Amino acid sequence: MKLVHTPTGFTISHKNRTVFEHSEASPALYLGIGEGNFDMYRGNFDITDYVIERLPLRQFKVDSFERDGQEFHSIGFYFDGKEVIQMIVGETAESRLKAEFEAIDKSFNRFWMRVAATEEERVFGCGEQLTYLNLRGKNFPLWSSEPGVGRNKNTYVTWQADVKDKAGGDYYTTNYPQPTFVSDKKYFCHLETTAYADFDFTNPEFHELQAWDIPQYILFDAEESYPELMTNITDVFGRQPELPEWVYNGVILGIQGGTDITIEKVENAKKAGVEVAGAWCQDWQGIKMTSFGKRLQWDWQWNKDLYPGLDTKIHELKEQGVRFLGYINPYVLEDFPLYDEAQAKGYLATKEDGSKYVVDFGEFYCGVVDFTNPEACEWYKGVIKSNLIDFGLDGWMGDFGEYLPTDCSLSNGVSAEIEHNKWPYRWAKVQHEAIEEAGKTDDILFFMRAGGTGIQGYCHTLWGGDQSVDWCLDDGLASVIPAALSSGLMGNGIHHSDIGGYTTLHGMKRTKELFQRWAEMAAFTPIMRSHEGNRPGDNHQFDTDEETLTHLAKMTKIFTHLKPYIKDAVALNASQGVPVQRPLFMHYEQDDEAYEIKYQYLFGRDILVAPVYNQGETVKRLYLPKDKWVHAWTGEVFEGGWIEVDAPIGQPAVFYREASSYRDLLDGIKNA
Amino acid sequence: MKLVHTPTGFTISHKNRTVFEHSEASPALYLGIGEGNFDMYRGNFDITDYVIERLPLRQFKVDSFERDGQEFHSIGFYFDGKEVIQMIVGETAESRLKAEFEAIDKSFNRFWMRVAATEEERVFGCGEQLTYLNLRGKNFPLWSSEPGVGRNKNTYVTWQADVKDKAGGDYYTTNYPQPTFVSDKKYFCHLETTAYADFDFTNPEFHELQAWDIPQYILFDAEESYPELMTNITDVFGRQPELPEWVYNGVILGIQGGTDITIEKVENAKKAGVEVAGAWCQDWQGIKMTSFGKRLQWDWQWNKDLYPGLDTKIHELKEQGVRFLGYINPYVLEDFPLYDEAQAKGYLATKEDGSKYVVDFGEFYCGVVDFTNPEACEWYKGVIKSNLIDFGLDGWMGDFGEYLPTDCSLSNGVSAEIEHNKWPYRWAKVQHEAIEEAGKTDDILFFMRAGGTGIQGYCHTLWGGDQSVDWCLDDGLASVIPAALSSGLMGNGIHHSDIGGYTTLHGMKRTKELFQRWAEMAAFTPIMRSHEGNRPGDNHQFDTDEETLTHLAKMTKIFTHLKPYIKDAVALNASQGVPVQRPLFMHYEQDDEAYEIKYQYLFGRDILVAPVYNQGETVKRLYLPKDKWVHAWTGEVFEGGWIEVDAPIGQPAVFYREASSYRDLLDGIKNA
């Protein structure tokens, strides 16, 4: 790093990139005082801030010192003649640039830092973003929440969701926000805070990073290439382990309704030629009916009434090569056994006065297991180990994590407002450790939608959350692609989504075509898993007709055919953090167009996928970066640019590199 | 006034009311720097602000001096050791409290002042507010704009209007904002600025007044009663003249379509017993068809094609007691004669580089007559005098005034952002002076929807703007009532609305019932005037059937019957500024409930009106303050509280005071 300073300003650069530019006229740091308001309704937040003060910190003083043979700079920022905050800047042992903050005046709870930018710069990341890949030109509030239904104020579905449930969301709403971005200057920047944050990329000259707390530090590093940058990023945040071998054996069928139905549906699928890796029954612990649709009974143990004989059938299925997966989340249903036990032991979050606190999840109420209490974590790990793993589950959806209300009281004494964004991380850690302690990391698959800083090392795979069962860009099939790419850039290289989507409300019904297009995309992701949706009766399902089964069979054949290729990509993700689904620019960094393509991706190094995401489309227009690309169905070779190819149902627009070392395998896609 | 100060704070009070409380810990004044963005689409604004700095001004120094025998205090506010703004406080000759501001540091363009408040305090005003009467608990952006279609994000109409035209609006959107409020402590407070402002009444301890400029001054005064306060307020802002005598003679029928249609419709109405005071033909200068509906040809001269023979018919109608009214606004249609003339003379606003600037009004473009240029004002007065008054018009709708774009350039060199909110005032002044110079103030009626500080002395009557032709609270019949009451408290005591509403879009169609209920309300306002709406064919009209004509006839008989009473109320408004339509608390200030009633009003001192504003309602629940109230239809006497009365079509819920000196006249309502 380099610090150059004059009496009225300083510049900090790192690996030839300017990071901070501070001058009295244009300061890099502002502190302030705000009164935030968090209005939560079933995981949807209406957040407002009354900013009482926002003070430019113009005056500064630089002191330099040595620590462990390294040069550090302590920059004191002054306001009204008094030092209010100190920033200690230096390189870490890994040569990253780190600036630690220490508040001298503790009265400030708002922080704005300007990171130097250039007008053409593009930035990516900020967790899992479903609407934008390049984030420039917008601001991104970073707060874990329900992802929103529709996510676009211009659509009927969003409007209805807003009016009825305050649930419509917007372009930035996400289960997984992270105060980290990646720049096309091939650096990443991370602000270490779990407070509400907002990264504003609208200004041509700087990125303004806001946090509702004084962050611990800001971290930067740059590399010569994007894959190297991914390794660096995952050195910081952790890496996902490899997937269990069985996951590559076919689709995980989302089924509900009991033991017999599950077995019957699996059999039917197999008969139709579908490669089945597992059955995922989220209702394994029973259901509740609400006006939203079928909801689950949140008491995390086998429900003998709905799943009679599952304790033996689960092993029979496994012998037949079909794993059984369930569901859990970090809340316990009021007045049910787990709740009562947790309540008695003091493992639940409380009101400020220590009294009972439950959260409204939509016509039922639950206690929040207090993961800031190590004993509560141990207890919940025990629940997972005995009720899920020992029972025989080979995986589960580890749902939720976004609902920590800001007005509850936690065991560690930290404000729930500060803990909120950390909750998904805590929830992932509990699950990961339970699996690890059971010695099953290689064999159990769990997937989460919620996320945050550090989840990379604990959550084994993300799923894209609750897409609408429709074609809308911001919340339908298409939205899964930027979601995979942005979260991949944060180091979550294994991503997948509910085949066919989930949210079935406000008149939406899943069509056959949508299901099929989604399955076609899923065949080119590391995991194939279907979902019936919240109102299964309104949706086209994998077994609704023979044609759908046959089509799905073909897609699972392609998926299993690609097993060696996908396994290698997953292994690379586990060892070096290079995501399985990658934005085009990761390997074509000289290609300007590649940075703006958000609805296509590279699947591993050699496959390029351009999913059809518009209803009725059978000719696909897409962009190929300069290379030699073989069209998977016709063998025709393209050299780059915007092209059109036929993409009827069953033949998704997929290409692979002529120069691929997997060439023989890839040539076999068309006959899989 | 009284100023008490200690080394760390001061308190300013006036007539026993605490106005400012300043301390170093909790300052009364903040200055800052913001970058505002005004995105205008056909009069609808999307306004955002990036507040770069917001600085508390804690340090202060008080100097006292004498001027003309009065004591004044100069309070310097300091930041970072430097004086940044001076506030000179004292009493005016009329004993009002006035604090003038002078910026020492000119770099600030954001101003926030805290006026002392108490938790239970209620406040009113801020121009013409259509959703709230008591403004406490909300903030009110003050920027003249289209009023919004629907004005409630939860309604289908608002959503459609937003999606299609960015036109949905919200609870605060209004044609007439004014940075003035009235408190239930019987004081008013006015911030003298025409910049974008936002009055925030959400804090229990203060009202925070924001302006995007340093205001000239803030003015307070208090009185012992609300009527006295109205006189005080109108001493400051001006008063409306009395109405022309002919206005009391019946309804002004909104008609379109040409000379023959007008005469025929007037004749039909008269035959049915309707008392007709005038025919208002907004299309007197011709029409344009757009996708919105019929629009007018903005070239402000008699259109011989559509209105053949009008030059003589206008006088014949007048002899028959029917006045003819037209329409004008402050824009001129591109490439038509008035535009060409104004353009040639340099009377139009321009782009910053002096080149042509036109505004999009929805499929047609117009030049903005530059009212900051005195010659342009004289020219436009001339247009009004020759084309309108000399032609024989006895009145007109003086439409618009809200569309001054912030990026045009004006003759006086002042930023259009600062002139924007002043434009309605300038437009009113031009019209008023044209009429006055023609010696017709007593005989010509013009009405405006746009407004702002000072319009009171120039705009002879407000109309409530473009209500939807439906029952929605925020933009339908009901919304006209808080509009009349809030603008009345600003000194605009003469208010009325389009009978039946105007905006006919997104599936709305005006029903017979709505037209009738609206007519029933209008009979108890100072002016009755109907409108066909923007899509006349979709709307029930006054002459759609016999029953509607008969009902309207009855309402006009009541209106003309009340002429002496209304005239006296209008005269009081002209002499003392007490509005014709008054909130209940104006005369029942001890009654807590009266402050929260926004959909009832006093009509003059002795009549109480509770319009039916819900579809299908025939029994009206309403509140009567403690008094003796005679029900107009049954003669039953009520003494106050919440009651229910029958209110079938034709018998609006109207009461009058038993003790009224107009008792005989009022007893005659039922037989009118």
Side-chain angles (χ1 to χ4, degrees), chain B residues 7-31:
Chain B
T8 61
F10 64 81
T11 301
I12 295 174
S13 54
H14 178 248
K15 298 191 179 172
N16 291 322
R17 285 149 185 99
T18 304
V19 175
F20 298 118
E21 280 186 312
H22 175 88
S23 68
E24 289 187 4
S26 182
L29 196 57
Y30 293 75
L31 290 185

mmCIF file of all heavy atoms in Angstrom, chain B residues 7-31:
data_model
loop_
_atom_site.group_PDB
_atom_site.id
_atom_site.type_symbol
_atom_site.label_atom_id
_atom_site.label_comp_id
_atom_site.label_asym_id
_atom_site.label_seq_id
_atom_site.Cartn_x
_atom_site.Cartn_y
_atom_site.Cartn_z
ATOM 1 N N PRO B 7 -25.562 30.372 29.084
ATOM 2 C CA PRO B 7 -24.370 30.170 28.228
ATOM 3 C C PRO B 7 -24.538 29.031 27.230
ATOM 4 O O PRO B 7 -23.878 28.999 26.202
ATOM 5 C CB PRO B 7 -23.261 29.841 29.235
ATOM 6 C CG PRO B 7 -23.724 30.438 30.528
ATOM 7 C CD PRO B 7 -25.216 30.362 30.523
ATOM 8 N N THR B 8 -25.433 28.081 27.496
ATOM 9 C CA THR B 8 -25.515 26.914 26.599
ATOM 10 C C THR B 8 -26.848 26.786 25.878
ATOM 11 O O THR B 8 -27.101 25.756 25.239
ATOM 12 C CB THR B 8 -25.267 25.599 27.375
ATOM 13 O OG1 THR B 8 -26.297 25.489 28.371
ATOM 14 C CG2 THR B 8 -23.907 25.574 28.027
ATOM 15 N N GLY B 9 -27.668 27.797 25.957
ATOM 16 C CA GLY B 9 -28.940 27.661 25.249
ATOM 17 C C GLY B 9 -29.793 28.910 25.355
ATOM 18 O O GLY B 9 -29.440 29.864 26.054
ATOM 19 N N PHE B 10 -30.872 28.913 24.611
ATOM 20 C CA PHE B 10 -31.831 30.015 24.739
ATOM 21 C C PHE B 10 -33.231 29.523 24.417
ATOM 22 O O PHE B 10 -33.403 28.481 23.773
ATOM 23 C CB PHE B 10 -31.447 31.207 23.851
ATOM 24 C CG PHE B 10 -31.473 30.919 22.375
ATOM 25 C CD1 PHE B 10 -32.671 30.938 21.660
ATOM 26 C CD2 PHE B 10 -30.289 30.649 21.683
ATOM 27 C CE1 PHE B 10 -32.695 30.686 20.290
ATOM 28 C CE2 PHE B 10 -30.310 30.391 20.319
ATOM 29 C CZ PHE B 10 -31.510 30.403 19.619
ATOM 30 N N THR B 11 -34.191 30.262 24.891
ATOM 31 C CA THR B 11 -35.591 29.975 24.594
ATOM 32 C C THR B 11 -36.233 31.269 24.113
ATOM 33 O O THR B 11 -36.031 32.325 24.717
ATOM 34 C CB THR B 11 -36.328 29.482 25.856
ATOM 35 O OG1 THR B 11 -35.670 28.311 26.319
ATOM 36 C CG2 THR B 11 -37.783 29.163 25.563
ATOM 37 N N ILE B 12 -36.965 31.169 23.024
ATOM 38 C CA ILE B 12 -37.692 32.339 22.538
ATOM 39 C C ILE B 12 -39.178 32.040 22.631
ATOM 40 O O ILE B 12 -39.638 30.989 22.175
ATOM 41 C CB ILE B 12 -37.313 32.683 21.080
ATOM 42 C CG1 ILE B 12 -35.847 33.111 21.018
ATOM 43 C CG2 ILE B 12 -38.221 33.767 20.521
ATOM 44 C CD1 ILE B 12 -35.333 33.343 19.608
ATOM 45 N N SER B 13 -39.883 32.949 23.268
ATOM 46 C CA SER B 13 -41.331 32.752 23.326
ATOM 47 C C SER B 13 -42.027 34.029 22.858
ATOM 48 O O SER B 13 -41.425 35.105 22.799
ATOM 49 C CB SER B 13 -41.765 32.361 24.740
ATOM 50 O OG SER B 13 -41.290 33.310 25.667
ATOM 51 N N HIS B 14 -43.264 33.838 22.502
ATOM 52 C CA HIS B 14 -44.041 34.943 21.927
ATOM 53 C C HIS B 14 -45.486 34.751 22.344
ATOM 54 O O HIS B 14 -46.034 33.657 22.161
ATOM 55 C CB HIS B 14 -43.910 34.894 20.389
ATOM 56 C CG HIS B 14 -44.703 35.952 19.676
ATOM 57 N ND1 HIS B 14 -45.796 35.656 18.891
ATOM 58 C CD2 HIS B 14 -44.550 37.302 19.635
ATOM 59 C CE1 HIS B 14 -46.280 36.772 18.381
ATOM 60 N NE2 HIS B 14 -45.548 37.791 18.811
ATOM 61 N N LYS B 15 -46.062 35.778 22.961
ATOM 62 C CA LYS B 15 -47.442 35.681 23.442
ATOM 63 C C LYS B 15 -47.651 34.390 24.246
ATOM 64 O O LYS B 15 -48.605 33.628 23.991
ATOM 65 C CB LYS B 15 -48.426 35.755 22.269
ATOM 66 C CG LYS B 15 -48.340 37.102 21.522
ATOM 67 C CD LYS B 15 -49.491 37.259 20.545
ATOM 68 C CE LYS B 15 -49.429 38.606 19.820
ATOM 69 N NZ LYS B 15 -50.408 38.714 18.734
ATOM 70 N N ASN B 16 -46.710 34.135 25.123
ATOM 71 C CA ASN B 16 -46.783 32.983 26.039
ATOM 72 C C ASN B 16 -46.669 31.601 25.390
ATOM 73 O O ASN B 16 -46.994 30.600 26.009
ATOM 74 C CB ASN B 16 -48.073 33.018 26.865
ATOM 75 C CG ASN B 16 -48.034 34.157 27.845
ATOM 76 O OD1 ASN B 16 -46.975 34.437 28.413
ATOM 77 N ND2 ASN B 16 -49.153 34.838 28.019
ATOM 78 N N ARG B 17 -46.231 31.591 24.125
ATOM 79 C CA ARG B 17 -46.006 30.295 23.499
ATOM 80 C C ARG B 17 -44.514 30.134 23.221
ATOM 81 O O ARG B 17 -43.903 31.027 22.632
ATOM 82 C CB ARG B 17 -46.776 30.190 22.177
ATOM 83 C CG ARG B 17 -48.278 29.972 22.361
ATOM 84 C CD ARG B 17 -49.038 30.595 21.236
ATOM 85 N NE ARG B 17 -50.483 30.518 21.416
ATOM 86 C CZ ARG B 17 -51.232 31.512 21.874
ATOM 87 N NH1 ARG B 17 -50.687 32.662 22.233
ATOM 88 N NH2 ARG B 17 -52.552 31.361 21.980
ATOM 89 N N THR B 18 -43.979 29.007 23.636
ATOM 90 C CA THR B 18 -42.569 28.749 23.351
ATOM 91 C C THR B 18 -42.432 28.456 21.869
ATOM 92 O O THR B 18 -43.141 27.613 21.317
ATOM 93 C CB THR B 18 -42.079 27.534 24.155
ATOM 94 O OG1 THR B 18 -42.329 27.794 25.531
ATOM 95 C CG2 THR B 18 -40.602 27.297 23.934
ATOM 96 N N VAL B 19 -41.534 29.156 21.230
ATOM 97 C CA VAL B 19 -41.379 29.012 19.784
ATOM 98 C C VAL B 19 -40.113 28.241 19.449
ATOM 99 O O VAL B 19 -40.140 27.263 18.713
ATOM 100 C CB VAL B 19 -41.383 30.405 19.116
ATOM 101 C CG1 VAL B 19 -41.101 30.283 17.638
ATOM 102 C CG2 VAL B 19 -42.711 31.114 19.370
ATOM 103 N N PHE B 20 -38.986 28.689 20.012
ATOM 104 C CA PHE B 20 -37.721 27.987 19.787
ATOM 105 C C PHE B 20 -37.127 27.603 21.126
ATOM 106 O O PHE B 20 -37.113 28.396 22.070
ATOM 107 C CB PHE B 20 -36.687 28.895 19.093
ATOM 108 C CG PHE B 20 -37.095 29.355 17.745
ATOM 109 C CD1 PHE B 20 -37.269 30.710 17.484
ATOM 110 C CD2 PHE B 20 -37.287 28.440 16.713
ATOM 111 C CE1 PHE B 20 -37.629 31.152 16.229
ATOM 112 C CE2 PHE B 20 -37.656 28.884 15.449
ATOM 113 C CZ PHE B 20 -37.836 30.242 15.206
ATOM 114 N N GLU B 21 -36.597 26.400 21.147
ATOM 115 C CA GLU B 21 -35.802 25.990 22.307
ATOM 116 C C GLU B 21 -34.476 25.507 21.766
ATOM 117 O O GLU B 21 -34.415 24.498 21.057
ATOM 118 C CB GLU B 21 -36.499 24.849 23.046
ATOM 119 C CG GLU B 21 -37.604 25.351 23.933
ATOM 120 C CD GLU B 21 -38.201 24.245 24.792
ATOM 121 O OE1 GLU B 21 -38.497 23.178 24.218
ATOM 122 O OE2 GLU B 21 -38.380 24.467 25.995
ATOM 123 N N HIS B 22 -33.454 26.230 22.070
ATOM 124 C CA HIS B 22 -32.130 25.856 21.549
ATOM 125 C C HIS B 22 -31.188 25.548 22.697
ATOM 126 O O HIS B 22 -31.147 26.265 23.688
ATOM 127 C CB HIS B 22 -31.551 27.008 20.727
ATOM 128 C CG HIS B 22 -30.149 26.738 20.268
ATOM 129 N ND1 HIS B 22 -29.888 26.081 19.094
ATOM 130 C CD2 HIS B 22 -28.942 26.993 20.843
ATOM 131 C CE1 HIS B 22 -28.570 25.961 18.947
ATOM 132 N NE2 HIS B 22 -27.978 26.500 20.003
ATOM 133 N N SER B 23 -30.443 24.455 22.546
ATOM 134 C CA SER B 23 -29.363 24.201 23.492
ATOM 135 C C SER B 23 -28.239 23.523 22.724
ATOM 136 O O SER B 23 -28.463 22.980 21.637
ATOM 137 C CB SER B 23 -29.842 23.314 24.636
ATOM 138 O OG SER B 23 -30.114 22.016 24.155
ATOM 139 N N GLU B 24 -27.070 23.533 23.285
ATOM 140 C CA GLU B 24 -25.955 22.877 22.597
ATOM 141 C C GLU B 24 -26.247 21.400 22.403
ATOM 142 O O GLU B 24 -25.887 20.804 21.389
ATOM 143 C CB GLU B 24 -24.654 23.078 23.376
ATOM 144 C CG GLU B 24 -24.185 24.526 23.291
ATOM 145 C CD GLU B 24 -22.807 24.733 23.918
ATOM 146 O OE1 GLU B 24 -22.190 23.744 24.345
ATOM 147 O OE2 GLU B 24 -22.379 25.897 23.973
ATOM 148 N N ALA B 25 -26.928 20.803 23.374
ATOM 149 C CA ALA B 25 -27.232 19.374 23.280
ATOM 150 C C ALA B 25 -28.339 19.110 22.263
ATOM 151 O O ALA B 25 -28.366 18.074 21.618
ATOM 152 C CB ALA B 25 -27.646 18.839 24.640
ATOM 153 N N SER B 26 -29.249 20.048 22.122
ATOM 154 C CA SER B 26 -30.384 19.836 21.229
ATOM 155 C C SER B 26 -30.667 21.114 20.449
ATOM 156 O O SER B 26 -31.550 21.901 20.784
ATOM 157 C CB SER B 26 -31.592 19.421 22.074
ATOM 158 O OG SER B 26 -32.686 19.175 21.249
ATOM 159 N N PRO B 27 -29.875 21.312 19.399
ATOM 160 C CA PRO B 27 -29.966 22.592 18.685
ATOM 161 C C PRO B 27 -31.267 22.767 17.900
ATOM 162 O O PRO B 27 -31.890 21.784 17.516
ATOM 163 C CB PRO B 27 -28.763 22.563 17.743
ATOM 164 C CG PRO B 27 -28.271 21.167 17.704
ATOM 165 C CD PRO B 27 -28.850 20.418 18.858
ATOM 166 N N ALA B 28 -31.646 24.009 17.690
ATOM 167 C CA ALA B 28 -32.882 24.309 16.955
ATOM 168 C C ALA B 28 -32.616 24.453 15.465
ATOM 169 O O ALA B 28 -33.549 24.473 14.666
ATOM 170 C CB ALA B 28 -33.509 25.588 17.499
ATOM 171 N N LEU B 29 -31.360 24.548 15.090
ATOM 172 C CA LEU B 29 -31.049 24.865 13.700
ATOM 173 C C LEU B 29 -29.961 23.935 13.158
ATOM 174 O O LEU B 29 -28.969 23.673 13.830
ATOM 175 C CB LEU B 29 -30.578 26.324 13.622
ATOM 176 C CG LEU B 29 -30.549 27.016 12.273
ATOM 177 C CD1 LEU B 29 -31.914 26.994 11.602
ATOM 178 C CD2 LEU B 29 -30.079 28.465 12.445
ATOM 179 N N TYR B 30 -30.190 23.446 11.953
ATOM 180 C CA TYR B 30 -29.210 22.624 11.245
ATOM 181 C C TYR B 30 -29.055 23.204 9.840
ATOM 182 O O TYR B 30 -30.044 23.587 9.219
ATOM 183 C CB TYR B 30 -29.682 21.170 11.114
ATOM 184 C CG TYR B 30 -29.762 20.415 12.425
ATOM 185 C CD1 TYR B 30 -30.797 20.664 13.334
ATOM 186 C CD2 TYR B 30 -28.818 19.452 12.748
ATOM 187 C CE1 TYR B 30 -30.864 19.975 14.537
ATOM 188 C CE2 TYR B 30 -28.883 18.757 13.953
ATOM 189 C CZ TYR B 30 -29.904 19.019 14.839
ATOM 190 O OH TYR B 30 -29.976 18.340 16.027
ATOM 191 N N LEU B 31 -27.834 23.242 9.375
ATOM 192 C CA LEU B 31 -27.616 23.609 7.978
ATOM 193 C C LEU B 31 -26.895 22.468 7.283
ATOM 194 O O LEU B 31 -26.237 21.647 7.939
ATOM 195 C CB LEU B 31 -26.760 24.887 7.879
ATOM 196 C CG LEU B 31 -27.396 26.195 8.315
ATOM 197 C CD1 LEU B 31 -26.433 27.350 8.015
ATOM 198 C CD2 LEU B 31 -28.727 26.439 7.604
#
